[in-house]
Amino acid sequence: MKLRFEPFGAWVKLESTAAVVALDRAGVRALGLDGGAHWEEGAPRTAPIEVHLAVTQKCGAGCEGCYLDATPDGVEPPRDVMLARLDALRDAGVMTVAFGGGEPITREDLGLLADEARARGLTPVLTTSGLGLSPAKVARLKSFAQVNVSYDGASEDYARVRGFDGARAAESAIALLVTSGIRVGVNVVLTRSTLDALPATLRRARAFGASEAQLLRYKPAGRAASLDYLARRLSPEQVACFGSTLRALTEEHAPTGFSIRIDCSMVPFLAGDAALYAAPEALVRAGIFGCEGGQALASVKVDGRVAPCSFVESTALDASALVSGHEHDPELAAWRDFQAKAPEPCASCALAHVCKGGCKAVSRFVDGVHGPDPECPRVRAHRAALSVSASAS
Amino acid sequence: MSDETRHPVEPESVRALRLGHGANCSSIGSVVDTLFVTALLGGAVFAAVMGALAKEPVEIVGGKEKDVQPRAPRSEDQVHDESAP
C-alpha cells in the first residue's frame, strides 16, 4: 500500500484491492507509523491525491460539447516534458493520474508514459473515445489500471450528446479492451434528452464487458459553454429524482459487480433525496467527493499549468511546482476557502462538507460567480423562496 | 517500521473508503454502490479492505521518511481538518 500523511491521519492506496482509504491517526499508528512533522500544528497542506493530466490537445472526434475545444491539430507536449510532469506528481505524493486530452491514444508513446507513471509509483488510468483504437494500440495499454471509454448510449443517444454517432466504435473499443484483459469503465454524459435511456445504456455497456459506469454531468465548458447548455442540462425534475435513479441503477447492477460512479458535480443533486440528505456521514464513509478543486483533485493542462479541475481556467501554478505551490497558489486557496465562507443555502446544508458547494464551472457560467451550484435542488428552492418573499414585499 | 509495531487497524479508524480506480480524466468520481447495496455486499467489500490493510507492506509517498518515526499504537483524539473526509 502507498500511504501519504495528512493532518487527519493518512490517505492509503491499496494495491490488492482497488481502493483508497482515509485512515485516522489511530489507524496509522496501528500500522506502526507516526506522522511526525506532518501531524504538527501548521504543517503544510498536502497536494491532490488525484490529478487529471492532459497528454495532448489533439482530437479528431469533434464532439459538439467538448469541454476543451480539442482539435485535430492541437498541441502535444514532447515526451520529456510529460515525464517531468510525472516526476512532479510523484514528488507531490499524488496517487492516481488520469490521462486525458484531447484524445490520448493519438500519442504514439502513450503506453510508455503509462509505464513511466507506474515506475514512479503512480496508478495510471485513461479516458478515450475509442475512435481509432486498434489491437496494436491496445497491446500497449496494459499498464493502465483502468480505461474508460466515452459511451453515451446506442447510436441515436450517443449522437444526441456528441453530434455524431460514435457508438459502434466505442462498443468495439470496450470489447477489444476487455478481451485484452484491461478493466474497462464507460463515461456516460447525462443530458435532458438521454437520461431516460440511461438504464438501457448501462445494460448495453455491461453486455460489452464494461465493469463500471461513470455518470457525468453535462458541463458548460469549452464548446459546451453556450446557450445550448441551458437546453441540454438535466431538468429540475430529473435532478430531483436523481437519488432514486441511482438507487434503482445500483440495485440492478451492483450484485453483478458492475459499479455505478457519479462525478463530483452530481453530488449536490443528492440533496434532493430525503434519505441521503439525512445521512451525510454515510456519504463521507462511502468516500463521496464533491467539489475537490484545490484539495484532493487538480488538473494539469497541456501547457503544464495547474487548474482546480479540467473545466475551469488554469492558475499561474506550473505542475513542476505542485509540491510546494499547491498550498500557496491564491486561486487554489480561494477554491478551498469556499466551504468555510459559503453563503446560504450551502451554509446550512447537511451535505455541505461533502458537496462543497457543487460545480463551480456551472455556477460561473450560469450565475457569473464562484458560488453555490444553481442547479442544486436546495439552491433552487432557496432562490424560489427568496423570489416569493421579494414579490410579497 | 517492523512487524512488532504493526497491529490490526480498527474499523472505526476508516474515515472514508473510496472504491475503484476512477478512470475519468475530467472530473473526480465516487462509487455509490455502498450507499445503496445490502449490508452483506458492503460488508464483503469492507472485509477485503481490512484484510489488505492488515497485510500489505507500506510505502510512504509524498513526504520525507526521515520525518516519520515508527512507534507503538496509542489512542488519540480525532483531529479536526477541513480537508479531511
Side-chain angles (χ1 to χ4, degrees):
Chain A
M1 69 181 82
K2 292 188 168 54
L3 182 146
R4 196 179 86 181
F5 291 105
E6 301 287 337
F8 61 82
W11 280 113
V12 176
K13 183 164 183 37
L14 300 174
E15 305 290 346
S16 60
T17 300
V20 179
V21 182
L23 279 186
D24 67 12
R25 291 184 179 185
V28 176
R29 288 196 172 101
L31 296 174
L33 296 167
D34 186 285
H38 300 278
W39 288 354
E40 290 174 3
E41 188 80 20
R45 181 176 296 278
T46 51
I49 58 172
E50 181 170 321
V51 166
H52 300 162
L53 181 65
V55 298
T56 181
Q57 208 172 26
K58 286 183 182 170
C59 182
C63 299
E64 286 178 353
C66 177
Y67 65 91
L68 277 178
D69 198 15
T71 59
D73 56 354
V75 173
E76 182 173 297
R79 184 183 307 169
D80 60 334
V81 170
M82 295 311 305
L83 294 179
R85 288 174 190 167
L86 291 175
D87 286 342
L89 302 190
R90 173 202 58 204
D91 294 346
V94 171
M95 293 177 165
T96 300
V97 55
F99 285 38
E103 173 50 68
I105 65 169
T106 60
R107 279 195 78 110
E108 288 299 320
D109 60 355
L110 183 63
L112 182 146
L113 291 178
D115 295 341
E116 292 287 345
R118 286 276 187 194
R120 287 160 175 76
L122 302 162
T123 299
V125 292
L126 171 70
T127 298
T128 175
S129 67
L131 296 169
L133 192 63
S134 63
K137 284 189 175 178
V138 168
R140 298 198 291 267
L141 303 182
K142 298 291 176 83
S143 282
F144 286 105
Q146 183 169 319
V147 175
N148 272 21
V149 178
S150 300
Y151 183 63
D152 305 313
S155 55
E156 300 86 0
D157 292 318
Y158 190 109
R160 274 194 205 110
V161 175
R162 295 181 189 263
F164 68 97
D165 180 5
R168 289 190 67 178
E171 290 163 356
S172 296
I174 296 166
L176 185 57
L177 288 159
V178 171
T179 302
S180 302
I182 297 173
R183 182 179 162 85
V184 178
V186 289
N187 283 354
V188 186
V189 177
L190 305 184
T191 67
R192 188 170 302 190
S193 66
T194 59
L195 184 66
D196 288 348
L198 181 59
T201 297
L202 298 196
R203 284 181 207 123
R204 197 169 168 87
R206 203 175 91 197
F208 280 101
S211 303
E212 179 181 283
Q214 162 96 47
L215 308 184
L216 302 168
R217 187 170 164 191
Y218 190 74
K219 300 180 191 70
R223 289 199 281 272
S226 70
L227 284 178
D228 195 40
Y229 167 76
L230 302 177
R232 289 186 170 220
R233 64 182 177 178
L234 297 181
S235 70
E237 294 75 22
Q238 289 172 323
V239 169
C241 296
F242 189 65
S244 302
T245 302
L246 282 182
R247 194 172 281 109
L249 292 172
T250 302
E251 286 171 356
E252 177 181 348
H253 293 285
T256 72
F258 183 92
S259 290
I260 308 294
R261 183 181 284 269
I262 60 171
D263 84 353
C264 40
S265 68
M266 299 186 122
V267 174
F269 296 174
L270 304 183
D273 186 278
L276 292 175
Y277 188 76
E281 290 316 304
L283 272 64
V284 172
R285 293 273 291 178
I288 306 297
F289 274 174
C291 179
E292 288 290 334
Q295 299 188 54
L297 171 69
S299 170
V300 175
K301 305 213 174 183
V302 282
D303 64 358
R305 299 290 177 183
V306 176
C309 78
S310 298
F311 297 99
V312 296
E313 315 80 56
S314 304
T315 66
L317 179 66
D318 190 86
S320 60
L322 182 66
V323 67
S324 57
H326 188 258
E327 180 180 18
H328 302 293
D329 180 84
E331 180 69 8
L332 296 176
W335 281 62
R336 281 193 294 273
D337 286 348
F338 177 84
Q339 191 185 346
K341 300 172 183 172
E344 288 294 352
C346 295
S348 60
C349 180
L351 303 188
H353 59 302
V354 181
C355 166
K356 299 179 179 173
C359 186
K360 308 305 181 300
V362 173
S363 70
R364 287 174 172 212
F365 178 77
V366 175
D367 293 337
V369 296
H370 189 88
D373 192 322
E375 293 162 23
C376 164
R378 285 191 88 248
V379 173
R380 282 187 189 278
H382 178 73
R383 291 181 179 180
L386 287 179
S387 177
V388 168
S389 175
S391 300
S393 61
Chain B
M1 161 194 40
S2 66
D3 286 343
E4 292 77 45
T5 60
R6 190 163 172 171
H7 299 261
V9 173
E10 297 295 329
E12 294 75 20
S13 283
V14 176
R15 297 173 64 136
L17 171 56
R18 288 179 49 76
L19 295 173
H21 286 299
N24 178 44
C25 67
S26 62
S27 52
I28 197 164
S30 307
V31 169
V32 295
D33 300 359
T34 53
L35 284 177
F36 303 113
V37 296
T38 63
L40 186 63
L41 274 175
V45 170
F46 198 73
V49 168
M50 297 308 290
L53 283 170
K55 291 177 186 167
E56 289 188 15
V58 181
E59 177 189 351
I60 296 167
V61 299
K64 297 172 184 169
E65 268 194 80
K66 65 182 176 57
D67 294 338
V68 181
Q69 300 299 321
R71 61 182 299 167
R74 67 179 187 194
S75 62
E76 182 173 290
D77 293 339
Q78 297 283 317
V79 177
H80 176 72
D81 170 23
E82 76 279 6
S83 69

